[in-house]
Amino acid sequence: MENSLNKKLLVVLLLIGLGAPFVVYPVFLMQLYCFALFACAFNLLLGYTGLLSFGHAAFFGGAAYITGYLVKNAGFTPEMGILAGTLAAAAMGFVFGILTIRRQGIYFAMITLALAQVVYFVALKAPFTGGEDGLQNVPRGKLLGLVNLGRTYHLAGKSLELNLYYFVFAIFCAGFWLLYRTINSPFGQVIKAIRENEPRAVSLGYRVERIKLLAFVISAALSGTAGATKTLVFQLASLTDVSWHTSGDVVLMTLLGGLGTVAGPVMGAFTVVSLQTGLSSIGSWVTVVIGAIFVICVLLFRRGFVGELSRIIKKVFEGDLPSEDSGRIQGRQEGKQAPGPGAASG
Amino acid sequence: MAQWVLETKKLSKEFRGFLAVSQVDIRVQKGCVHALIGPNGAGKTTVFNLLTRFITPSSGAIFFNGVDITKKKPAEVALMGMVRSFQISAVFPNLTPFENVRIALQRPLGTACHFWKPLSSLDTLSDKIMELLEAVGLQQLAHRPTVELAYGRKRALEIATTLALEPEMMLLDEPTQGMGAEDVERITELVRKVAAGRTILMVEHNLKVVASLAERITVLNRGKVLAEGHYEEISRNPSVMEAYMGSENG
């Protein structure tokens, strides 16, 4: 039952996605998709593998620069540019992963941050990145050499970049699907097991370092896809994309939406990007507002929006059943000095 | 030589000048339940961690079926057929018991890195999973979150997970620690059941459990082997009595 419900929901969301550009400014929507994909890719690492990377902007921004350069200066078509950006991010992920994967917790976070700062420095100083200006006026090009992604349609007084929109929407859906599949795969089970209890996974014969490395590479690659797509949307790759602020933003999005939930990072990204865009008139106060929301979120719903919501839905569907197990144990121990429910749930 | 499944030769571990384990020789016979006992701080858990390669010995060697495993990695030792349990209940708390056992069963399939396959590719394991859960009395709770299970049931689940690997040898680290009398009996029975056709080495505090399960016993004290033999021999040994005085009397 829950499965068919999910399918219906998915179809509805897909239809909304197809119709959305006629209602909402398409560039804003595309921005949402890019960051949502970024957050989902990040969530694979933080939410499902239990690794907090503080340098994911390196993959997002690194791919943004590489795609931007190849499309602008080497005449790559957009899809080849994005593919190249994704592969470059995967390769970077592999190098980062090899260097960091044996570290735990805060050390892992610090080393990923340090490596990301190296990438930032390269983006600032390297001759092909445009330094402080970044790469500007990246052409959107022709998809497969056929469909002009830069084309705008004029409908009811609005100009809509529909070709690009559907291209980006398709990339987002494909990326989201790939992550969904990864989470619900044999591999997904193993990374969850590693998150839950790493020594136990080792004792069951899993080579956890290899598995964590693969999770890292997948996460980096899809972060790269997001960054590369972003370059085409804004026709710009800039230092912001590789800065540690972006690394921080993606952590925030994931936590706000709900760690380790499939839809959580999407909601989190929508929230943060909407706030950043909608409140841009109040300048740097945006940071304060988002910070306040984050604090409230941490205090009130620790599982994030989606985590909290799905818990409520589960409660409504299943009813708040008492734990079957503790009930049975107490039943069995009738007449004896039964331990309290606290002891039973140990 | 061949009858020893597990053998250590002059195994020692030094922690910053403190000799936790010193020149320990243990030999575990094939198909036997072997218990490792000793007062607190005798080095039981250290020996245990050395055997499963979670820590590296300062000197000495470990042989599993005649193969030197002193330099192998923990995961490799597990793949060779020696699987351990942990003192702290080793389950995956936010997965269901069903998924817990599946993690163990899916490893031999070699699809651990197949992120493009659907979960239904693991459906072939379902019968085996339910069989294992039934063996430890958890079939009713297969799809509840493991965190909600009582302590004794978590340990039972852990044993089911370990059994799923069909290990030739199981190392159990204090299987009944922190349990009520009811659970202790259940786990004792369970260990007896799974011991058929396997070799088991267990660290155990509860001497009643040791007496009813173990065929051979090694007593450790201050990192050294104090005595080895059957329960009766051991319980009459004066130096064992002395070592246990005031710390533990079963």
Side-chain angles (χ1 to χ4, degrees):
Chain A
M1 184 206 75
E2 205 173 301
N3 230 334
S4 70
L5 190 80
N6 277 347
K7 272 197 182 127
K8 274 180 200 157
L9 189 70
L10 217 60
V11 171
V12 171
L13 287 176
L14 205 65
L15 289 175
I16 291 176
L18 290 173
F22 298 100
V23 186
V24 188
Y25 182 46
V27 172
F28 171 65
L29 285 172
M30 290 186 270
Q31 188 189 3
L32 288 186
Y33 295 144
C34 292
F35 280 97
L37 182 59
F38 184 27
C40 286
F42 181 75
N43 187 37
L44 179 70
L45 211 54
L46 181 58
Y48 289 96
T49 321
L51 291 170
L52 171 60
S53 155
F54 219 83
H56 253 49
F59 310 125
F60 183 82
Y65 272 107
I66 285 163
T67 303
Y69 181 81
L70 291 176
V71 170
K72 190 178 174 184
N73 300 328
F76 272 49
T77 52
E79 74 284 349
M80 289 310 287
I82 289 176
L83 190 65
T86 303
L87 291 176
M92 276 166 68
F94 185 74
V95 174
F96 275 40
I98 292 264
L99 294 170
T100 58
I101 216 75
R102 282 160 198 274
R103 313 276 163 227
Q104 306 270 340
I106 190 74
Y107 301 103
F108 180 80
M110 293 320 286
I111 298 174
T112 48
L113 174 62
L115 290 170
Q117 289 306 103
V118 173
V119 173
Y120 179 86
F121 189 74
V122 171
L124 181 65
K125 294 290 179 194
F128 67 92
T129 56
E132 302 264 357
D133 300 331
L135 287 172
Q136 298 184 356
N137 300 320
V138 177
R140 283 169 175 169
K142 286 189 170 174
L143 180 60
L144 302 167
L146 298 170
V147 186
N148 183 3
L149 291 177
R151 180 163 177 199
T152 53
Y153 296 81
H154 297 279
L155 278 175
K158 282 189 277 192
S159 60
L160 307 173
E161 293 95 337
L162 287 182
N163 288 354
L164 185 64
Y165 175 82
Y166 288 117
F167 177 56
V168 172
F169 186 58
I171 288 174
F172 168 70
C173 289
F176 187 77
W177 178 83
L178 183 64
L179 284 165
Y180 178 82
R181 169 44 52 84
T182 303
I183 290 160
N184 294 290
S185 71
F187 173 71
Q189 285 293 309
V190 179
I191 56 173
K192 277 183 233 173
I194 292 172
R195 172 195 71 189
E196 297 279 302
N197 194 334
E198 188 170 332
R200 179 56 170 166
V202 171
S203 80
L204 291 179
Y206 285 105
R207 296 189 167 95
V208 298
E209 272 153 20
R210 257 169 45 184
I211 292 163
K212 286 201 283 192
L213 181 62
L214 178 59
F216 197 90
V217 171
I218 295 173
S219 175
L222 284 162
S223 300
T225 310
T229 311
K230 197 235 71 172
T231 301
L232 292 183
V233 172
F234 289 103
Q235 305 186 277
L236 171 76
S238 70
L239 284 177
T240 319
D241 300 336
V242 277
S243 79
W244 60 270
H245 286 107
T246 305
S247 296
D249 277 347
V250 77
V251 178
L252 190 68
M253 290 170 192
T254 309
L255 289 178
L256 273 185
L259 201 60
T261 61
V262 176
V266 179
M267 291 305 297
F270 279 24
T271 312
V272 172
V273 174
S274 302
L275 285 171
Q276 280 171 349
T277 314
L279 299 176
S280 56
S281 56
I282 59 172
S284 28
W285 283 96
V286 178
T287 320
V288 177
V289 173
I290 292 177
I293 290 176
F294 185 57
V295 169
I296 293 168
C297 218
V298 167
L299 292 176
L300 291 182
F301 356 90
R302 281 190 301 137
R303 294 157 217 256
F305 302 147
V306 173
E308 213 62 41
L309 197 69
S310 69
R311 197 172 62 103
I312 291 167
I313 291 172
K314 232 180 219 169
K315 247 187 184 169
V316 172
F317 271 110
E318 292 175 10
D320 199 11
L321 295 168
S323 162
E324 192 186 319
D325 190 46
S326 58
R328 269 157 49 104
I329 283 203
Q330 277 172 2
R332 242 176 342 101
Q333 294 183 331
E334 258 176 336
K336 286 183 201 170
Q337 210 176 10
S345 63
Chain B
M1 179 74 192
Q3 85 247 44
W4 308 122
V5 175
L6 186 69
E7 190 178 7
T8 68
K9 283 184 181 151
K10 301 204 186 313
L11 196 62
S12 299
K13 178 68 189 176
E14 196 181 309
F15 292 110
R16 297 179 181 221
F18 169 67
L19 208 55
V21 172
S22 155
Q23 309 269 322
V24 167
D25 293 316
I26 298 175
R27 279 177 299 189
V28 182
Q29 211 170 359
K30 203 174 182 69
C32 172
V33 177
H34 195 120
L36 196 58
I37 64 170
N40 284 327
K44 302 184 295 284
T45 297
T46 310
V47 168
F48 207 81
N49 283 332
L50 287 170
L51 291 179
T52 46
R53 306 294 309 105
F54 273 69
I55 55 178
T56 309
S58 310
S59 65
I62 309 164
F63 296 89
F64 180 60
N65 279 332
V67 179
D68 189 342
I69 59 165
T70 320
K71 297 213 160 57
K72 295 244 191 280
K73 288 182 176 156
E76 288 176 322
V77 172
L79 291 174
M80 289 172 74
M82 183 163 85
V83 181
R84 69 170 292 180
S85 76
F86 289 80
Q87 197 163 14
I88 308 151
S89 162
V91 291
F92 304 116
N94 291 313
L95 304 179
T96 64
F98 187 85
E99 290 169 326
N100 264 272
V101 176
R102 191 170 60 191
I103 294 284
L105 279 176
Q106 76 175 75
R107 208 225 349 109
L109 297 182
T111 57
C113 290
H114 293 194
F115 60 87
W116 56 89
K117 279 192 183 152
L119 262 190
S120 54
S121 68
L122 298 175
D123 282 354
T124 48
L125 301 173
S126 298
D127 292 343
K128 181 85 182 144
I129 296 169
M130 288 317 284
E131 204 177 289
L132 282 162
L133 286 174
E134 213 171 307
V136 298
L138 283 173
Q139 69 275 27
Q140 305 273 335
L141 303 162
H143 296 287
R144 298 197 74 87
T146 301
V147 260
E148 291 177 11
L149 301 188
Y151 184 76
R153 289 186 185 277
K154 282 185 191 149
R155 301 249 40 172
L157 172 61
E158 191 194 326
I159 290 176
T161 312
T162 308
L163 278 178
L165 299 178
E166 296 187 6
E168 186 185 343
M169 176 160 195
M170 281 170 83
L171 282 83
L172 306 175
D173 195 0
E174 309 209 9
T176 66
Q177 192 211 24
M179 277 184 199
E182 179 97 356
D183 281 336
V184 168
E185 270 168 45
R186 224 149 46 90
I187 296 295
T188 309
E189 278 318 301
L190 194 57
V191 173
R192 199 193 306 283
K193 213 160 91 186
V194 304
R198 286 202 175 76
T199 312
I200 291 184
L201 176 67
M202 56 192 249
V203 167
E204 182 55 64
H205 257 303
N206 188 328
L207 292 183
K208 223 166 86 188
V209 175
V210 171
S212 78
L213 281 176
E215 291 148 78
R216 301 274 309 170
I217 293 165
T218 300
V219 187
L220 281 184
N221 191 29
R222 298 180 186 196
K224 289 190 179 131
V225 175
L226 195 63
E228 193 180 327
H230 293 288
Y231 188 76
E232 291 78 33
E233 294 169 43
I234 295 290
S235 56
R236 282 196 304 269
N237 187 321
S239 56
V240 173
M241 306 267 274
E242 192 191 312
Y244 263 84
M245 209 87 106
S247 65
E248 180 104 22
N249 29 38

